């Protein structure tokens, strides 16, 4: 078997065209385009490139973006002040604080400073709590993108055994909750760095979501034939043959796993473009809700 490649880039392009049309409608109706405020602290190269990709995607969809760039040495108070400024700015509908922050110790406080109505990353405890309860909420972009991709690819989830590898607050944990909710109805197992004999679980899985941040950790001997594999890993692996000095590797040993799988997402061009697309969608939703709060 050779896997169907789940082309996140192509699907994202389709969805972004739909979002751009809805943005144009909202702008025509209200005289204002949706706006995203981004806080970037420090000069980490990967964070810079993610933020640039998000801002470019916003511009292409007709969403305004405003960036507050702070030095890595910025104080806790300066970071909180940037968030408060965006909370108070009427033209800012959605707020994104790029993580990780140089000072990990202030992350929780900074996330909790974001107005939940503008929390398009879905990281604020109010949105996390609402999501767990199955109430309307901003859902974190990577889990939302993965679900949308599986839905559009018509991968059956009801009754499927899904193994999520990784328990991060951004991907693994929220995705496991969404997959087990009524209406999706997957049976979910969450594995992590302390799981002994990971293959014991992955070999049973109808769908594997690899989100551990460990290059090539899911190998062909760990998956059953016909599995659907979603690779969330974006790992920079040193590569002297590349001009950049590195190449991107997922969490999945792609070629051998693709020979056994029914479907697989590539890295790059799989989950990444879908994540950014969900950010655009959440920003559009935030703008609509803020302009018609009673609706
Ligand atoms: N860092 C890695 N992923 C994300 C994300 O989805 N949102 C933000 N704000 N930071 C991240």
């Amino acid at each position: 078997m050779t896997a169907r490649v789940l082309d996140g880039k192509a699907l994202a392009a389709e969805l972004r065209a739909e979002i751009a049309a809805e943005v144009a409608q909202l702008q025509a109706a209200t005289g204002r385009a949706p706006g995203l405020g981004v806080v970037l602290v420090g000069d980490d190269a990967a964070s810079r490139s993610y933020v640039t990709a998000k801002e470019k995607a916003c511009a292409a969809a007709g969403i305004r973006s405003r960036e507050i760039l702070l030095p890595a040495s910025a104080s806790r108070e300066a970071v909180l002040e940037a968030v408060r400024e965006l909370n108070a700015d009427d033209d800012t509908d959605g707020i994104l604080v790029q993580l990780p922050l140089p000072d990990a110790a202030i992350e929780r406080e900074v996330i909790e400073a974001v107005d939940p109505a503008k929390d398009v990353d879905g990281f604020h405890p109010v949105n996390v709590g609402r999501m767990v309860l199955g109430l309307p909420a901003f859902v974190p972009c990577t889990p939302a993108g993965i679900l949308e991709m599986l839905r559009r690819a018509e991968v059956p989830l009801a009754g499927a055994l899904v193994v999520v590898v990784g328990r991060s607050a951004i991907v693994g944990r929220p995705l496991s909750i969404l997959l087990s909710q009524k209406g999706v109805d997957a049976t979910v197992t969450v594995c992590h760095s302390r799981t002994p004999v990971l293959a014991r679980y992955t070999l049973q899985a109808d769908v594997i979501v690899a989100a551990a941040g460990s290059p090539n950790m899911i190998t062909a001997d760990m998956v059953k034939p016909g599995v659907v594999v979603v690779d969330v890993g974006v790992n920079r692996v040193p590569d002297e043959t590349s001009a950049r000095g590195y190449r991107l590797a997922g969490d999945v040993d792609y070629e051998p796993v693709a020979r056994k799988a029914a479907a697989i997402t590539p890295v790059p061009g799989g989950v990444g473009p879908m994540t950014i697309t969900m950010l655009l969608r959440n920003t559009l939703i935030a703008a609509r809700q803020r302009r018609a709060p009673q609706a």
Side-chain angles (χ1 to χ4, degrees), residues 54 96-99 121 123 170:
K54 290 169 185 178
L96 180 152
V97 180
Q98 185 64 31
L99 303 179
D121 257 333
F123 293 167
I170 292 181

Side-chain angles (χ1 to χ4, degrees), residues 209-234:
V209 180
S214 181
N216 303 324
M217 73 176 297
I218 303 295
T219 50
D221 58 320
M222 296 169 70
V223 308
K224 72 175 182 183
V227 68
V228 173
V229 179
V230 177
D231 190 351
V232 187
V234 188

Side-chain angles (χ1 to χ4, degrees), residues 38-39 47 50-51 54 95-100 120-121 123 140-143 170-171 275 279:
V38 179
V39 180
S47 288
Y50 291 139
V51 165
K54 290 169 185 178
I95 297 174
L96 180 152
V97 180
Q98 185 64 31
L99 303 179
V120 288
D121 257 333
F123 293 167
C141 300
T142 302
I170 292 181
V171 184
T275 295
L279 175 68

Side-chain angles (χ1 to χ4, degrees), residues 108-187:
R108 221 353 78 207
E109 192 180 2
V110 170
I111 287 169
E112 292 183 19
V114 173
D115 178 350
K118 296 189 177 189
D119 172 36
V120 288
D121 257 333
F123 293 167
H124 191 287
V126 165
N127 282 310
V128 177
R130 293 180 62 89
M131 180 199 68
V132 171
L133 293 168
L135 299 170
F138 288 113
V139 171
C141 300
T142 302
I146 292 168
L147 275 183
E148 187 67 37
M149 201 172 186
L150 293 173
R151 234 180 249 136
R152 297 242 176 174
E154 297 183 354
V155 172
L157 290 174
L161 180 56
V162 182
V163 170
V164 178
V165 184
R167 57 181 160 183
S168 72
I170 292 181
V171 184
R173 237 179 300 153
L175 181 63
S176 68
I177 289 160
L178 292 166
L179 283 165
S180 63
Q181 270 178 348
K182 274 212 169 83
V184 183
D185 299 320
T187 301

